[in-house]
Amino acid sequence: MRRIVAGMPAMPKFEKPVPELVERFEAAIARAGRADVTRRPMFGHPCAWIGGNMATGLFAQDWWVRLPPDRIQVVIDSGEARPLEVMPGRAMKDYAVMPPMVVEDVAALDSWIREALNYTATLPPKK
């Protein structure tokens, strides 16, 4: 249920990811072995950052990655992934939710995570 506060809609309550998914996330980030990755929550969910830019994270039971615009377009158009929507109907540009079969396959997961981290590292740092 959404509440109105001072004329603005309140943020809905977000479902927390299951502990097993959080463990998989932490293990995948550790396997990436990058010293430039920091972890801090976004919307109360685990998230990995590089240079102040979100690279990958969890939202509810979804695991999303940031990919280059041309790659995002391909994986979304093909149905391989879907856009990340924190607020229903409002897709976040440059972010895709990985399909469950990727999340369950360590090699595939690591490939997507590596791609997300490598791309995010090319972005200008945020202050």
Side-chain angles (χ1 to χ4, degrees):
M1 173 181 246
R2 296 176 78 180
R3 291 175 275 152
I4 304 297
V5 177
M8 297 295 292
M11 284 294 260
K13 295 271 185 194
F14 295 129
E15 173 188 353
K16 296 289 184 190
V18 295
E20 295 82 10
L21 187 59
V22 174
E23 290 171 13
R24 289 181 65 80
F25 175 80
E26 293 298 335
I29 299 305
R31 281 192 308 273
R34 293 188 64 131
D36 57 348
V37 172
T38 58
R39 294 182 190 102
R40 70 175 197 261
M42 180 58 126
F43 307 117
H45 297 80
C47 183
W49 304 71
I50 296 180
N53 293 297
M54 294 189 309
T56 184
L58 304 178
F59 183 73
Q61 306 316 313
D62 293 331
W63 191 333
W64 54 266
V65 289
R66 178 181 220 149
L67 298 173
D70 57 336
R71 174 83 162 119
I72 283 285
Q73 198 63 49
V74 168
V75 298
I76 289 173
D77 287 350
S78 71
E80 185 178 3
R82 63 182 168 77
L84 172 62
E85 292 184 357
V86 174
M87 300 294 284
R90 300 185 70 188
M92 292 181 66
K93 184 181 176 188
D94 298 334
Y95 299 94
V97 174
M98 295 184 290
M101 65 183 181
V102 168
V103 174
E104 294 166 6
D105 179 322
V106 173
L109 175 64
D110 287 352
S111 177
W112 281 61
I113 298 300
R114 199 169 31 256
E115 184 178 6
L117 296 174
N118 289 341
Y119 171 64
T120 304
T122 70
L123 300 174
K126 291 189 176 180
K127 296 182 180 188

